[in-house]
Amino acid sequence: MDLRLAKGPVPQGAAVMRAYGGVPAQAVLGSFSFSNSGLGVTPSNPLNLIQASETADEALQLAQWFDRQWVGLEGVEVHAGLEGKQESILEALRGLGEHRDPCTIYNLMLHYLFRENGDSLDEERIVNSATGIRNTVVWKKLFKFQRDGVVGAIDKLNRFGGCIIADSVGLGKTFEALAIIKYHELRNDRVLVLAPKRLRDNWTLYKANDKRNILAADRFNYDVLNHTDLSRDGGLSGDIDLSHVNWGNYDLVVIDESHNFRNKATHKSKESRYDRLMRRIIREGVKTRVLMLSATPVNNRLADLRNQIAFATEGDDSALLEHGIASIEATTRKAQAQFNRWLALGEAEKTPSQLVEMLGFDYFTLLDHLTIARSRRHVEKYYGTSETGCFPDRLPPINIKADVDLAGEFRAIRDINQEIRRLTLASYAPLRYVLPHKQAAYDAKYSTQLRGGEGFFRQVDREESLIHLLRVNVLKRMESCVSAFTLTVQRQLKDVESTLVRIESHVEVLEEIDVADVDIDDPAFEALLVGRKVKVLLGDVDLIRWKQDLLEDRNRLATLLAAACQVDAARDAKLAALRDMIARKCAQPINTHDGKANRKIIVFTAFSDTAQYLYAQLAPWARDTLRVHSAVVTGSAGIQTTMPGLSKRMGDVLSTFAPRAKERPQDLADEGEIDLLIATDCISEGQNLQDCDWLINYDIHWNPVRIIQRFGRIDRIGSPNQRIQLVNFWPNMELEEYINLEQRVSGRMVLLDVSATGEENLIEQQSGNAMNDLEYRRKQLLKLQDTVIDMEDLSTGVAITDLTLTDFRIDLAQFLKRHPGKLDTQPLGAYAITTTLDADIPPGVIFCLQACGPAAKLATTPDYPLAPHYLVHVGDDSAVLLPYAQAKRILDRLKRLALGRDRPDDSACARFDRATKGGEDMRHAQKLLAAAVASVAGKQEERAVASLFTPGGTHAMKGEFAGSGDFEVLAFLVVLPDQQCI
């Protein structure tokens, strides 16, 4: 085809098709402006009048006229923006049909999809250099991926009012948050950090005049309060008087471990921390931006994010309407329903890709707007390890199943479990024994009203739930160590005897026994213990039945205690196995630093009783036999060390254990080093302890997330170790049997579900039924016996990075940096040819369409935020393989087909040219395009889209989508089968 343009008084266009002998066969004329839009270089919808010659004579005459016009272009400037002469015009036209590389087309599609939101990782645009942030110590300490995270978070805070940084364990969320805080402080903003009490020192250190403060030069000035301070109206928190805090005067609030606020429990007589945070800090006073930090924002429920998102949006369900999310609540509810369906699938079907297919694109967009989520694999792939250094290699876990008693006389765990199940624990459930005619009065006084007044959660049900959790607690302590089990049984026996004494003394009013010292780390306890203590009048109670159950408990507990007391430290088989493991590690280190063997070990346990017992038994032995100093950390009040003269502050102890990771000042090096650290989960989050290369779980935590958080203390970016080792102590039985024991001891549970959906439902789990949390735990713990798994691998292989669009944005940002301005010069309809080797990516065409005019409104849906842009993958047989609603999966396919293919595939292009006769015969592509448009617009008329590929008028009827008048092809990727002819 010989395509040339003519310019007359009224801009004209003409195409002359010549026979192979050069004789004109037909001429086609149309009126269009001789400009960028007229030539199709930039988007437009001009009204064209197309005419075609009918005879050879007409074609000859028109051809001669056309040639004269063309020759006349010599020396004439081209109208309306295309500055150049004939060659410039021809160059532009040749560019319309040239073959491009798949990588460019992939990024061009991303450019169309994302540029409307103005959402790109542009450091210069977002971080104003005038703030001086680039001159701060904290900024200079950040790696490139961390700086990108900071830039993205600042952008989201400015545009949406909130952001969740959900980077995986060990990627440095704290320093990213500190850089964001410094950015706001440089703008004179007032900043509040809300942290769990155990992590408070992590934040106060960086604002203190302290030798260990490596950021002292930045002079941070933010306030630090504990999560629990939100439940207090007075008293001191550090040096802050809570009664005088101006809660509404903070411009930025940073919530560390924000997943602790995913629940929105409301007690009848008490405002929850969640409600107070929302009311007093976020809604009242100045506009407050909210930065949330969490490695587990989703946990095992997609809807967990909703209450955290509400902080960013001040609870406004339609806050993201302009960004394509009509209702945040509807989006999260729908996603949770799909997630529940996915969980119910068989193991073969329950894949991450299947979940991605089931979730609506609005959920991906919601996460994309408000989260920064990078995994370890993500950082290695996109940023490499030249700057950060390699992550340490994880050696296969060592699994130990130790007996309880070296003498072999202690009863088996399954037998002990039978006794635990028989305990009534009556001393903790006075309401169980209230006489029937008195129960209504106690229900009215102590029940919790559910959301919307739809019902009540009775205090007697709360007590029953507590009983089951206490039984699990006894079993867990039996698994942890016989010493902790002994102490627990002693406490419960004391509580039983105390209750009996009070009954016998005929006191008029009896208060519910306080079980606050129960330190099992289960969020269900917090829900059950909310509110004031229950007071029961003895005259309202069936004393005969209550005393009978109390006496029965006393006898069983006394029997258990007598058996446990026989197993002292000398007979403790599990303790002996731990001692052997520590000695072996010190004798055979797996890393050396500067010629010195690494002998550092962390021993984690869920219980402070166990930690104190291990320290008492191991610290003198380690010091005298191994020449190793030890410490135990069970919170700020539970710190001991064999290091002479070292203060018993957590920060000092951890700096002495991990001086390199904590950047201990050189003038403190004479303090020496601790090599054996025994700790509870008070240090399982937010601590850099990567000097250490061995981590031992002395007992297996109920939540697999906690095990990974523990290992994240040493499995961190910047580790000096080449290898790291995880050691797990398991109950001396098959894991399946132990999980079943735990399920049976839990029995019939009635729990208050304060889930992130905001609905507080009563969940009854009948004894013998499958319990989802235990089944989930079983699968993850089985994995942990064989390998160290990442946080993003926990939810049956679903990572939060699978649920965001971060990867695509970074692909685009990197392309724009390598090829500035390239995408802005690409014409409409640009395309590339590639081949597929993947069985799950069939041949066909992936179209990127844009609805125009009335079609832009007709084709939109409330749950599709990308409108008016649409991606559709159509197979070679015209079947729509992936409709536009599956944009996330289409983007995944585009990425696999195009990334790294930065040159045109000459072989594939040649095959395409042969099949289309150099672009003259686009009927097959036109047919696929018709299917793509029909899938968006709901129309089936192929003739309505003919003009998108060929000249001529449209035959669409009134009211139908009218092809090029309603949709434009922005770009497309042709996917050919590998080494096969079309």
Side-chain angles (χ1 to χ4, degrees):
M1 183 169 68
D2 178 13
L3 180 62
R4 298 180 182 175
L5 304 173
K7 175 174 178 285
V10 176
Q12 296 288 323
V16 179
M17 283 154 275
R18 301 178 185 272
Y20 288 106
V23 177
Q26 190 172 27
V28 179
L29 289 86
S31 60
F32 55 85
S33 62
F34 211 34
S35 63
N36 287 350
S37 59
L39 294 175
V41 176
T42 59
S44 65
N45 291 291
L47 176 64
N48 292 323
L49 180 62
I50 307 298
Q51 293 179 311
S53 62
E54 296 182 354
T55 66
D57 288 341
E58 287 182 5
L60 179 59
Q61 292 177 27
L62 286 168
Q64 292 171 348
W65 170 82
F66 181 81
D67 288 337
R68 289 195 301 272
Q69 298 296 322
W70 181 257
V71 172
L73 280 174
E74 282 291 344
V76 178
E77 292 294 328
V78 180
H79 176 68
L82 270 180
E83 296 180 0
K85 302 180 183 178
Q86 285 184 358
E87 191 55 39
S88 300
I89 298 170
L90 290 173
E91 186 64 31
L93 293 174
R94 279 193 290 267
L96 292 174
E98 74 177 9
H99 290 300
R100 290 169 172 79
D101 61 273
C103 189
T104 295
I105 296 303
Y106 163 61
N107 281 283
L108 181 61
M109 292 185 185
L110 296 179
H111 190 51
Y112 282 123
L113 295 180
F114 295 146
R115 70 178 179 182
E116 295 299 322
N117 296 324
D119 195 4
S120 61
L121 297 176
D122 182 353
E123 181 177 317
E124 291 297 329
R125 177 179 65 84
I126 296 167
V127 179
N128 184 348
S129 58
T131 63
I133 184 67
R134 291 188 180 89
N135 298 323
T136 60
V137 177
V138 66
W139 183 267
K140 293 174 182 176
K141 282 187 173 293
L142 298 179
F143 295 118
K144 177 65 169 66
F145 83 88
Q146 292 173 322
R147 291 197 301 272
D148 283 349
V150 169
V151 168
I154 291 172
D155 184 40
K156 292 179 189 299
L157 288 169
N158 289 337
R159 293 194 297 121
F160 303 115
C163 175
I164 303 171
I165 296 183
D167 286 348
S168 294
V169 172
L171 294 184
K173 291 184 292 295
T174 300
F175 265 58
E176 291 176 14
L178 285 166
I180 295 166
I181 290 171
K182 194 68 222 172
Y183 172 83
H184 284 83
E185 286 187 350
L186 289 167
R187 296 169 47 182
N188 294 319
D189 287 340
R190 184 172 290 278
V191 181
L192 169 67
V193 173
L194 284 173
K197 189 173 183 179
R198 66 181 182 276
L199 299 182
R200 180 189 181 93
D201 290 348
N202 280 12
W203 295 95
T204 56
L205 174 62
Y206 294 118
K207 59 194 292 287
N209 185 19
D210 190 307
K211 287 182 178 180
R212 298 166 301 147
N213 180 7
I214 58 176
L215 304 179
D218 286 343
R219 298 184 179 274
F220 282 97
N221 192 36
Y222 50 83
D223 291 340
V224 181
L225 294 175
N226 305 331
H227 287 180
T228 50
D229 290 336
L230 291 171
S231 301
R232 302 165 59 197
D233 292 314
L236 291 177
S237 179
D239 58 356
I240 298 176
D241 187 340
L242 294 176
S243 62
H244 297 151
V245 172
N246 185 354
W247 296 101
N249 198 36
Y250 289 107
D251 303 286
L252 173 71
V253 58
V254 178
I255 309 175
D256 195 11
E257 306 299 340
S258 64
H259 50 272
N260 292 324
F261 286 93
R262 66 176 176 263
N263 292 338
K264 192 165 61 172
T266 303
H267 190 267
K268 176 173 67 173
S269 60
K270 188 175 182 181
E271 186 179 46
S272 70
R273 293 178 202 163
Y274 180 98
D275 292 326
R276 180 167 290 198
L277 173 58
M278 177 67 82
R279 177 179 64 83
R280 298 186 66 176
I281 300 179
I282 296 174
R283 284 181 174 157
E284 293 182 358
V286 301
K287 169 65 178 176
T288 304
R289 297 181 174 92
V290 184
L291 176 66
M292 291 159 274
L293 310 179
S294 175
T296 57
V298 173
N299 227 7
N300 208 22
R301 293 180 58 86
L302 294 186
D304 280 348
L305 273 167
R306 201 192 101 189
N307 282 350
Q308 297 176 74
I309 289 170
F311 289 143
T313 61
E314 298 188 8
D316 181 359
D317 186 51
S318 60
L320 299 177
L321 182 61
E322 293 182 4
H323 302 279
I325 306 296
S327 167
I328 295 170
E329 181 175 357
T331 298
T332 51
R333 283 182 186 277
K334 185 180 71 173
Q336 185 62 52
Q338 293 296 88
F339 186 61
N340 292 342
R341 282 184 52 213
W342 178 77
L343 285 175
L345 295 175
E347 287 301 313
E349 299 175 276
K350 195 161 51 179
T351 62
S353 60
Q354 181 63 32
L355 177 61
V356 167
E357 181 175 349
M358 294 170 69
L359 290 173
F361 193 75
D362 51 344
Y363 187 74
F364 297 110
T365 305
L366 177 63
L367 290 188
D368 187 52
H369 283 332
L370 296 174
T371 61
I372 302 287
R374 282 85 57 84
S375 66
R376 172 171 159 161
R377 289 190 297 267
H378 181 112
V379 172
E380 290 174 326
K381 176 178 179 180
Y382 286 101
Y383 295 91
T385 56
S386 59
E387 182 188 20
T388 61
C390 295
F391 287 92
D393 292 331
R394 301 162 173 172
L395 298 176
I398 297 172
N399 298 297
I400 299 173
K401 293 185 176 181
D403 287 322
V404 174
D405 184 6
L406 286 172
E409 296 178 7
F410 192 76
R411 295 163 69 184
I413 290 179
R414 61 181 64 86
D415 295 333
I416 296 293
N417 180 61
Q418 290 294 331
E419 289 299 307
I420 293 172
R421 290 179 62 198
R422 293 189 182 107
L423 291 171
T424 65
L425 298 176
S427 57
Y428 305 111
L431 287 181
R432 182 194 296 168
Y433 302 95
V434 169
L435 295 167
H437 67 283
K438 296 286 188 177
Q439 286 177 356
Y442 284 93
D443 282 346
K445 186 171 185 178
Y446 294 117
S447 294
T448 301
Q449 185 169 351
L450 299 185
R451 181 171 178 261
E454 298 160 2
F456 290 90
F457 183 61
R458 302 172 65 221
Q459 181 67 24
V460 67
D461 290 333
R462 178 180 278 112
E463 284 182 351
E464 291 304 314
S465 298
L466 181 62
I467 296 306
H468 296 303
L469 288 169
L470 287 171
R471 286 200 188 105
V472 173
N473 187 43
V474 177
L475 179 64
K476 292 293 299 173
R477 286 172 177 267
M478 177 68 259
E479 175 212 324
S480 179
C481 79
V482 69
S483 173
F485 175 71
T486 302
L487 290 172
T488 300
V489 173
Q490 281 178 334
R491 289 187 192 117
Q492 293 194 354
L493 184 57
K494 181 181 176 182
D495 287 342
V496 170
E497 291 173 341
S498 172
T499 304
L500 283 169
V501 167
R502 286 189 287 173
I503 290 175
E504 294 296 339
S505 64
H506 302 289
V507 295
E508 184 178 345
V509 178
L510 190 68
E511 280 193 3
E512 183 182 47
I513 289 177
D514 186 5
V515 291
D517 64 329
V518 175
D519 60 356
I520 183 172
D521 190 4
D522 189 327
F525 270 106
E526 184 175 0
L528 296 172
L529 298 176
V530 165
R532 58 183 178 271
K533 292 179 182 178
V534 172
K535 295 181 180 180
V536 178
L537 295 173
L538 287 186
D540 295 341
V541 174
D542 184 343
L543 288 177
I544 295 176
R545 187 164 62 93
W546 196 12
K547 284 180 63 175
Q548 181 180 344
D549 285 351
L550 287 167
L551 291 170
E552 203 172 308
D553 276 354
R554 185 175 69 179
N555 294 338
R556 293 191 190 284
L557 289 168
T559 303
L560 287 172
L561 181 60
C565 286
Q566 293 178 0
V567 184
D568 58 11
R571 282 173 54 177
D572 190 337
K574 190 175 180 182
L575 175 65
L578 176 61
R579 187 184 292 114
D580 291 344
M581 181 62 61
I582 293 171
R584 173 182 145 192
K585 196 274 181 181
C586 290
Q588 301 172 355
I590 58 175
N591 292 287
T592 57
H593 301 152
D594 302 323
K596 181 182 177 183
N598 188 343
R599 307 175 82 192
K600 293 187 184 295
I601 304 172
I602 301 176
V603 180
F604 268 110
T605 173
F607 303 105
S608 57
D609 290 339
T610 301
Q612 295 292 344
Y613 168 74
L614 292 179
Y615 178 77
Q617 301 303 321
L618 295 175
W621 163 80
R623 180 190 59 210
D624 300 337
T625 306
L626 304 176
R627 300 292 185 266
V628 162
H629 279 295
S630 306
V632 61
V633 177
T634 61
S636 58
I639 297 176
Q640 299 181 64
T641 177
T642 61
M643 181 75 73
L646 184 65
S647 74
K648 294 181 179 180
R649 292 188 302 180
M650 184 184 295
D652 291 334
V653 170
L654 296 183
S655 290
T656 309
F657 176 71
R660 177 171 175 164
K662 295 292 188 181
E663 298 191 48
R664 182 176 67 175
Q666 190 60 38
D667 60 351
L668 297 179
D670 293 340
E671 289 181 345
E673 295 188 23
I674 293 168
D675 286 333
L676 174 60
L677 178 64
I678 301 165
T680 60
D681 288 299
C682 66
I683 67 163
S684 67
E685 297 172 292
Q687 298 293 350
N688 300 327
L689 303 174
Q690 60 264 38
D691 292 32
C692 177
D693 61 353
W694 262 55
L695 188 144
I696 299 174
N697 288 307
Y698 192 65
D699 43 45
I700 297 301
H701 199 279
W702 70 278
N703 188 349
V705 168
R706 185 52 55 82
I707 297 176
I708 293 167
Q709 287 175 326
R710 290 173 175 179
F711 198 56
R713 300 316 97 214
I714 69 172
D715 186 14
R716 303 182 72 79
I717 198 167
S719 170
N721 300 301
Q722 290 185 325
R723 294 168 292 278
I724 51 177
Q725 179 71 66
L726 178 66
V727 181
N728 295 316
F729 277 77
W730 302 88
N732 191 18
M733 58 171 53
E734 291 300 317
L735 181 62
E736 297 275 3
E737 183 181 2
Y738 179 76
I739 293 290
N740 289 336
L741 282 184
E742 194 168 313
Q743 181 170 344
R744 285 199 297 272
V745 81
S746 298
R748 182 179 183 274
M749 299 183 71
V750 184
L751 292 177
L752 180 63
D753 175 26
V754 285
S755 70
T757 59
E759 287 187 341
E760 293 148 12
N761 301 316
L762 291 179
I763 298 179
E764 291 194 355
Q765 295 172 319
Q766 301 296 330
S767 180
N769 287 355
M771 296 173 68
N772 285 336
D773 57 328
L774 289 178
E775 176 64 16
Y776 165 77
R777 179 186 176 204
R778 181 186 69 82
K779 292 176 183 177
Q780 307 307 336
L781 293 182
L782 284 172
K783 288 183 186 177
L784 279 167
Q785 291 185 319
D786 302 320
T787 185
V788 178
I789 56 180
D790 289 312
M791 188 77 74
E792 54 267 21
D793 294 331
L794 267 183
S795 301
T796 324
V798 178
I800 189 171
T801 47
D802 293 329
L803 305 179
T804 68
L805 307 177
T806 303
D807 283 4
F808 305 115
R809 295 195 185 283
I810 291 186
D811 284 343
L812 178 60
Q814 292 181 344
F815 184 90
L816 291 172
K817 185 167 289 187
R818 291 194 306 268
H819 309 284
K822 183 175 182 178
L823 298 182
D824 294 325
T825 63
Q826 298 300 311
L828 282 177
Y831 68 96
I833 317 296
T834 190
T835 56
T836 177
L837 293 171
D838 297 303
D840 60 336
I841 304 183
V845 179
I846 297 176
F847 292 100
C848 180
L849 306 175
Q850 175 176 302
C852 307
K857 294 182 179 179
L858 288 171
T860 57
T861 57
D863 58 354
Y864 182 72
L866 287 180
H869 298 103
Y870 301 88
L871 294 175
V872 185
H873 187 185
V874 184
D876 259 346
D877 59 355
S878 298
V880 176
L881 302 174
L882 289 176
Y884 71 89
Q886 292 292 323
K888 174 63 165 62
R889 290 193 67 203
I890 300 174
L891 287 171
D892 287 334
R893 289 187 176 182
L894 278 168
K895 186 181 180 78
R896 286 161 59 189
L897 288 166
L899 208 61
R901 297 184 177 184
D902 53 5
R903 293 177 178 274
D905 185 332
D906 293 337
S907 174
C909 291
R911 288 158 50 194
F912 181 77
D913 286 343
R914 286 195 300 271
T916 62
K917 298 179 182 178
E920 288 188 40
D921 184 1
M922 294 293 287
R923 286 175 296 177
H924 181 64
Q926 176 181 316
K927 185 178 180 182
L928 304 192
L929 178 60
V933 170
S935 71
V936 177
K939 303 296 177 182
Q940 301 298 326
E941 290 77 14
E942 292 182 12
R943 68 182 187 277
V945 295
S947 59
L948 287 172
F949 274 127
T950 59
T954 175
H955 301 287
M957 301 298 290
K958 184 176 180 181
E960 292 179 301
F961 285 90
S964 61
D966 284 337
F967 286 92
E968 289 178 331
V969 179
L970 301 179
F972 61 101
L973 182 69
V974 178
V975 184
L976 301 180
D978 185 56
Q979 298 301 317
Q980 295 181 25
C981 294
I982 296 179

